[in-house]
């Protein structure tokens, strides 16, 4: 395309592509059917009209005849075609499938894309106007969803809209929806008022009122309104009389008289549509801003619930009271009532003999059973707190519009994840393996005590794990007893083997690792709610949309010589937006 012939595609194509991608991301995550529909509508407008038209201003003009059911759209198309192309009649809706008449050389390209989208019936007319496709759209107020959807799409891709209404229907809502959208897009617009009364005074009153309403809607009046009297029909052609539609025919003929004139109409429509992009995008971006504020509040409520339960879990772990008494009693009976207890006061040598003796006896050592039971108690406690955090979060989100949409259908979010118990059990087993490894390393560093660490690593490891879980600090009242007694005997055993300082550091490290293990579990449980937000929680999306819209608008206003000029700032774009067309 020559640079001196109007809009240069490259400056606008890139921001349009960026805008389409951002709108696609928005449509995939928009919360609520209304917001999804708004994003999808604009995306289709960008992809199916703006991009193809910007890429080829010389493509045939798409003239779309629109209006209410029974207004006479098909009769107008037949009159413009010179014969019956689209059937008219009393059955409503008459136009069940959009029909287009097109010159043989204009049958492909953009029109083919539109045909695929709307099930358009393309009729080749060797005597048609080259460079012009005229479409009879389905009724804009059709009760059938597919018809209305096709009509809306054709309105979005039109280069010229011809609204057909009647003397009795012009004040209905449907015609003014067409007017509003055509005006917002900046697309050229003409109106036909059909079936005017035979009485001149009555006909003039209708036309005057219609023009007044057009002016109020910001669409102008005057020469763009074509009046047609009741009964101005050509039955043989199933069409309006040729003389009645002469102004419309003349206007279409003028469009195709010169390539430059036709191209100017295409550019005008494109520029008008491009100028409307920031306004349409801003409506979506503001919704995203609103969602971001709501999402931040949702995140805060989720953080509070999980942090509170994580703190409550630490408090219970600090008291060590979560372990079942029978588990502690089993371990105390094993350690406190056997040879280990008798030899604690006699030195480590006797403890070594005692531990060796334990393994030489035929009776099984309960270390593994005790450790597994302790892990089961801890897992149950963690799941309980995670359940509470999840339920509190889901309850809070359910009272919020966006939170309710995020968790809709996600019943699992009302409780801890189903895989949490197995995940915790595996993590605790890995943690226990690490404790066993450090016991061997620590025993190897202390001359004379390696044998005790190696022979009794299972016993010593379980003792160390219980030392992390139960200790005397913070115990009061009924909690003192079996829990405190177990803590004391574990502490003495470990100190006798490794020394007091080593045991303190060892237990502190194991406690920190356990805390990190539980932190990760709670972070992952909290992450399920973040995942439920999807890209609704993406704070960059509104910026991407606004930035692309700003660049689209800037490119639409640039002349070829201005193509490299700096774009307007976001503040300037916002000021222009405030002065732009309404929805």
């Amino acid at each position: 395309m020559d640079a001196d012939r109007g809009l240069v595609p490259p400056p606008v194509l890139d921001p349009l592509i960026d805008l389409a991608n951002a709108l696609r991301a928005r449509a995939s995550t928009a919360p609520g059917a209304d917001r999804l529909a708004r994003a999808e509508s604009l995306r289709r407008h960008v992809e199916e009209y703006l991009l193809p038209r910007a890429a080829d201003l010389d493509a045939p003009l798409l003239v779309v005849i629109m209006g209410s059911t029974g207004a006479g759209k098909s009769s107008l198309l037949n009159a413009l075609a010179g014969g019956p192309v689209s059937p008219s009649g009393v059955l409503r809706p008459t136009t069940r499938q959009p029909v287009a008449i097109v010159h043989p050389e204009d049958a492909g390209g953009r029109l083919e894309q539109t045909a695929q989208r709307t099930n358009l019936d393309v009729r080749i007319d060797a005597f048609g106007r080259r460079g012009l496709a005229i479409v009879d759209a389905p009724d804009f107020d059709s009760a059938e969803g597919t018809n209305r959807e096709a009509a809306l799409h054709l309105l979005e891709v039109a280069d010229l809209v011809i609204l057909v209404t009647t003397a009795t229907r012009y004040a209905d809502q449907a015609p003014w929806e067409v007017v509003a959208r055509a005006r917002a897009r900046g697309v050229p617009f003409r109106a036909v008022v059909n079936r005017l009364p035979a009485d001149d005074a009555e006909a003039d009153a209708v036309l005057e009122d219609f023009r007044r309403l057009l002016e109020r809607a910001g669409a102008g009046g005057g020469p763009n309104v074509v009046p047609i009297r009741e009964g101005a029909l050509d039955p043989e052609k199933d069409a309006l009389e040729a003389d009645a539609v002469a102004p419309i025919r003349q206007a279409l003929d003028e469009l195709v008289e010169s390539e430059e004139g036709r191209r100017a109409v295409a550019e005008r429509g494109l520029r008008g549509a491009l100028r409307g992009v920031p306004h349409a995008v801003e409506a979506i971006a503001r919704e995203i801003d609103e969602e971001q504020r709501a999402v931040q509040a949702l995140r805060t409520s989720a953080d509070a619930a999980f942090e509170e339960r994580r703190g409550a879990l630490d408090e219970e772990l600090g008291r060590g009271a979560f372990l079942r008494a029978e588990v502690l009693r089993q371990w105390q009976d094993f350690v406190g009532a056997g040879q280990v207890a008798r030899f604690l006061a006699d030195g480590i040598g006797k403890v070594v003999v005692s531990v060796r003796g334990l393994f030489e006896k035929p009776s099984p050592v309960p270390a593994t059973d005790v450790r597994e039971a302790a892990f089961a108690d801890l897992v149950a406690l963690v799941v309980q707190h995670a359940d509470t955090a999840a339920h509190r979060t889901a309850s809070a989100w359910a009272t919020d519009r966006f939170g309710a949409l995020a968790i809709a259908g996600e019943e699992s979010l009302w409780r801890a994840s189903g895989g949490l118990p197995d995940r915790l059990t595996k993590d605790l087993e890995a943690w226990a393996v690490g404790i066993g490894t450090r016991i061997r390393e620590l025993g190897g560093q202390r001359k004379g005590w390696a044998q005790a660490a190696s022979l009794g690593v299972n016993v010593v490891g379980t003792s160390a794990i219980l030392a992390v879980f139960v200790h005397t600090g913070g115990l009061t009242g009924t909690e003192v007893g079996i829990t405190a007694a177990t803590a004391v005997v574990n502490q003495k055993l470990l100190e006798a083997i490794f020394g007091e300082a080593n045991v303190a550091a060892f237990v502190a490290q194991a406690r920190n690792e356990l805390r990190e293990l539980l932190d990760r579990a709670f972070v992952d449980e909290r992450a399920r709610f973040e995942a439920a937000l999807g890209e609704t929680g993406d704070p960059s999306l509104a910026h991407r949309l606004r930035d692309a819209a700003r660049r689209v608008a800037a490119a639409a206003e640039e002349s070829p010589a201005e193509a490299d000029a700096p774009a307007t700032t976001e503040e300037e774009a916002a000021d222009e937006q405030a002065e732009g067309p309404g929805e």
Side-chain angles (χ1 to χ4, degrees), residues 4-218:
D4 60 352
R5 298 180 64 191
L7 185 67
V8 182
V12 77
L13 289 180
D14 287 344
L16 280 175
I17 291 171
D18 291 343
L19 178 58
N21 290 334
L23 287 168
R24 190 174 293 277
R26 168 60 177 172
S28 68
T29 58
D34 56 337
R35 300 184 179 217
L36 170 61
R38 189 172 292 110
E40 270 292 277
S41 175
L42 184 55
R43 180 193 64 78
R44 289 196 300 267
H45 180 55
V46 171
E47 293 184 348
E48 298 172 8
Y49 172 73
L50 295 179
L51 274 168
R53 177 49 85 190
D56 186 6
L57 283 174
D58 294 318
L61 294 177
L62 197 63
V63 178
V64 179
I65 302 173
M66 309 202 72
S68 306
T69 180
K73 301 185 304 299
S74 299
S75 298
L76 175 59
L77 177 67
N78 293 340
L80 296 175
V85 174
S86 185
S88 64
V90 296
L91 181 63
R92 301 290 179 254
T94 305
T95 307
R96 296 176 179 271
Q97 179 183 18
V99 178
I101 52 174
V102 60
H103 189 276
E105 296 184 13
D106 297 330
R110 207 174 141 236
L111 187 64
E112 184 177 352
Q113 293 178 339
T114 302
Q116 292 174 353
R117 177 74 171 80
T118 62
N119 194 29
L120 181 64
D121 181 8
V122 178
R123 309 282 181 87
I124 304 300
D125 182 2
F127 301 100
R129 298 168 178 84
R130 185 176 176 184
L132 205 67
I134 307 176
V135 181
D136 177 15
D139 301 332
F140 197 77
D141 57 351
S142 175
E144 297 184 16
T146 55
N147 286 353
R148 181 171 173 80
E149 183 180 349
L152 285 169
H153 175 76
L154 289 167
L155 177 56
E156 291 300 317
V157 300
D159 295 297
L160 171 65
V161 172
I162 301 177
L163 170 66
V164 181
T165 187
T166 68
T168 57
R169 300 286 303 276
Y170 71 88
D172 292 352
Q173 180 181 358
W176 299 103
E177 289 183 23
V178 175
V179 171
R181 185 55 195 152
R183 177 182 175 273
R185 278 197 50 215
V187 64
F189 168 82
R190 287 183 178 272
V192 173
V193 182
N194 196 12
R195 305 196 187 106
L196 285 169
D199 182 81
D200 289 343
E202 292 180 7
D204 290 344
V206 170
L207 291 173
E208 182 180 355
D209 189 43
F210 182 64
R211 289 190 175 100
R212 180 182 57 80
L213 293 175
L214 282 175
E215 292 286 356
R216 180 185 297 176

Side-chain angles (χ1 to χ4, degrees), residues 7 12 16 45 49-50 183-187 267-281 549-550 552-558 573 576-577 579-582:
L7 185 67
V12 77
L16 280 175
H45 180 55
Y49 172 73
L50 295 179
R183 177 182 175 273
R185 278 197 50 215
V187 64
E267 183 173 335
R268 175 190 167 192
L270 176 59
R271 285 187 183 276
L274 292 174
R275 291 189 186 105
V277 165
H279 178 76
V281 166
R550 175 185 60 78
V552 165
E557 300 303 328
E558 288 174 353
E576 293 174 3
Q577 176 62 48
E579 300 173 359

